[in-house]
Amino acid sequence: MEKVLVTGGTGYIGSHTVVELQNAGYEVIILDNLSNSTIESVTRIERITGVKPHFENIDCLDYVSMDRMFASYGNISAIIHFAASKAVGESVKKPIHYYRNNVNGLMNILELMPLHGVENIVFSSSCTVYGQPDVLPVNENAPTKPATSPYGNTKQICEEIIRDLVHSGESKIKSIVLRYFNPIGAHPSAEIGELPIGVPNNLVPYITQTAIGLREKLMVYGDDYDTPDGSCIRDYINVVDLAKAHVIAVNRMLNKKLDEDIEYFNIGTGKGMSVLELVNLFQKATGVELPYEIVGRRDGDIVKVWADPTKANKVLGWKAETSMEDTLKSAWEWEKKIHAKEGAAAKRARAREASKQ
Ligand code: NAD
Ligand code: UD1
């Protein structure tokens, strides 16, 4: 069995990818420092697949422990590097943490790979590298734009580090860089999903937490943009579909099918959806009424972005398959599983407050 190391494998996208890798017959080693996930993911993955992945509680910044881990498993065929800090707002407040964690973590891995004979790495990048594209849908040849946050900058810097290393002529490392659009939803089993800490910044967790009662209402940031209904447009991609793209990327590297030593792919549906369209679809898909209010624009928001996924469709043979309706239902099933009690209690507390006034 080929071994794949998944850094950040107990996290949101990582855990879904581990499930798909195991379903495809890979032996998976998860490396995670549990800074933004819990060990429970490992049990939940086992419940879905019937196989318990290896788990190593190691920090990517800890070169010595990583070195030991590589040596003890031996023969790792490929790495999928998810481990990173990802909160845009926090990155503005703590830039050094973000540069250290995201950039140094990658550097350690890239330095250790040749020492342990590992040649293949899939890197988690983001459509954030395109900023507000001049042409939509955006394809992989579009220029990158100056990052609007330290987080976004780490993705650009990491892409550049990998590119320079691959092109150095001194390295056998090959890489597939996947630029995700907006991953949402949860596994259909509702065993794994997104676990935001504190108040969510992203749209779908905020919607599901509002629907369950944890938040009073959704704030829609702006309806006066240059879009058909005035709200911003994104390309929301089902997390299981996204996870499958990683398995295809690993297969492609192991079968030595790369056209170039570093390849870039947009992973999106190709369809843009506005905030208001998504809110309406959530209500239709779940039958739950969602209180919301239109408020002012959020600083730094991109107006509209959606992928041209033709390259991934043709070259990888990958395509987003799950409907947005099913994706939103899966997010809702997951929310009910994790927050039903807390949501009901928060609703009761609000009702008590309201009756006092
Ligand atoms: P996540 O926070 O759920 O998962 C990241 C995991 O990495 C967590 O389990 C965390 O504990 C771990 N981690 C962080 N720093 C680590 C370190 N130094 N050593 C070991 N483990 C560490 O995030 P996610 O949404 O699953 O994102 C995964 C990757 O995809 C990240 O690189 C993120 O930047 C990228 N990405 C995410 C999105 C998104 O919307 N979720 C969009 C584009 C790109
Ligand atoms: C954000 C990050 C981006 C990151 C992506 C996925 C910023 C500027 N960008 O992008 O770098 O890759 O998440 O993690 O933060 N919205 C509301 N109300 C809310 C929350 C969001 O109306 O409570 C709107 C936003 O204005 C936006 C859309 O919903 O138009 C999607 O927002 P979000 O989920 O935060 O994703 P991005 O802005 O695409």
Side-chain angles (χ1 to χ4, degrees):
M1 233 190 237
E2 304 257 21
K3 287 182 207 149
V4 179
L5 173 69
V6 181
T7 72
T10 41
Y12 174 44
I13 306 170
S15 57
H16 289 80
T17 302
V18 173
V19 166
E20 298 307 319
L21 285 166
Q22 293 196 157
N23 286 344
Y26 287 104
E27 180 177 347
V28 177
I29 303 144
I30 294 177
L31 182 154
D32 203 297
N33 66 358
L34 302 178
S35 57
N36 199 35
S37 57
T38 65
I39 186 74
E40 238 205 303
S41 286
V42 175
T43 325
R44 289 170 170 269
I45 290 167
E46 185 182 9
R47 250 185 257 151
I48 300 172
T49 62
V51 180
K52 191 172 190 167
H54 304 281
F55 176 76
E56 298 291 337
N57 185 345
I58 294 176
D59 194 315
C60 290
L61 300 181
D62 181 351
Y63 185 94
V64 173
S65 299
M66 297 255 292
D67 190 22
R68 235 182 264 136
M69 185 276 313
F70 273 106
S72 77
Y73 284 98
N75 300 327
I76 290 172
S77 305
I79 299 174
I80 306 181
H81 183 48
F82 291 106
S85 302
K86 64 161 183 177
V88 175
E90 185 188 51
S91 79
V92 176
K93 301 237 155 58
K94 298 182 182 170
I96 298 300
H97 168 79
Y98 272 70
Y99 287 111
R100 191 189 302 285
N101 202 41
N102 296 4
V103 179
N104 290 8
L106 173 72
M107 301 263 279
N108 279 345
I109 290 168
L110 294 176
E111 280 188 346
L112 285 162
M113 285 172 70
L115 303 182
H116 296 278
V118 189
E119 295 180 358
N120 303 304
I121 180 163
V122 178
F123 178 68
S124 290
S125 190
S126 164
C127 68
T128 190
V129 300
Y130 300 122
Q132 176 60 65
D134 301 323
V135 179
L136 286 167
V138 62
N139 70 30
E140 292 81 354
N141 297 323
T144 57
K145 295 269 175 77
T148 52
S149 70
Y151 165 75
N153 208 19
T154 67
K155 290 293 159 192
Q156 294 200 1
I157 291 170
C158 287
E159 280 201 9
E160 286 166 6
I161 291 171
I162 299 171
R163 182 201 61 200
D164 289 349
L165 179 64
V166 168
H167 290 164
S168 66
E170 297 290 313
S171 165
K172 288 186 173 169
I173 290 180
K174 295 174 187 54
S175 183
I176 292 185
V177 174
L178 300 180
R179 291 172 174 161
Y180 317 153
F181 281 66
N182 287 57
I184 61 165
H187 195 266
S189 63
E191 285 289 354
I192 51 175
E194 195 169 3
L195 266 182
I197 293 174
V199 182
N201 293 308
N202 293 119
L203 179 62
V204 170
Y206 207 104
I207 287 179
T208 55
Q209 290 199 5
T210 305
I212 202 91
L214 278 181
R215 318 268 156 222
E216 198 177 346
K217 60 185 167 196
L218 170 74
M219 254 71 79
V220 173
Y221 297 134
D223 69 346
D224 55 353
Y225 285 103
D226 177 22
T227 60
D229 65 19
S231 62
C232 293
I233 297 179
R234 299 286 184 275
D235 185 337
Y236 296 95
I237 167 82
N238 177 279
V239 69
V240 176
D241 287 346
L242 170 62
K244 288 177 180 166
H246 294 79
V247 179
I248 295 174
V250 168
N251 292 342
R252 182 173 170 82
M253 296 212 265
L254 299 190
N255 294 328
K256 306 205 183 305
K257 291 273 169 58
L258 268 62
D259 296 324
E260 290 169 84
D261 288 347
I262 178 163
E263 295 182 335
Y264 303 85
F265 294 99
N266 281 346
I267 304 296
T269 65
K271 290 188 202 75
M273 184 175 261
S274 75
V275 177
L276 291 170
E277 282 172 333
L278 195 139
V279 166
N280 288 331
L281 187 61
F282 178 82
Q283 300 189 103
K284 179 170 168 253
T286 61
V288 181
E289 200 186 323
L290 190 82
Y292 71 87
E293 185 188 335
I294 313 279
V295 298
R297 295 178 174 193
R298 179 171 74 176
D299 268 358
D301 251 338
I302 300 295
V303 181
K304 45 189 165 183
V305 62
W306 61 95
D308 177 350
T310 310
K311 188 177 173 199
N313 298 162
K314 288 199 173 141
V315 178
L316 294 180
W318 171 90
K319 205 169 185 321
E321 284 169 347
T322 317
S323 71
M324 257 317 102
E325 204 163 332
D326 285 347
T327 303
L328 291 170
K329 272 188 202 158
S330 72
W332 178 229
E333 290 308 314
W334 168 246
E335 186 68 58
K336 284 195 285 185
K337 182 152 186 174
I338 55 171
H339 285 140
K341 265 193 195 158
E342 278 171 271
K347 259 190 201 163
R348 281 196 302 275
R350 264 198 305 277
R352 269 199 308 275
E353 277 304 306
S355 69
K356 276 191 216 155
Q357 285 162 7

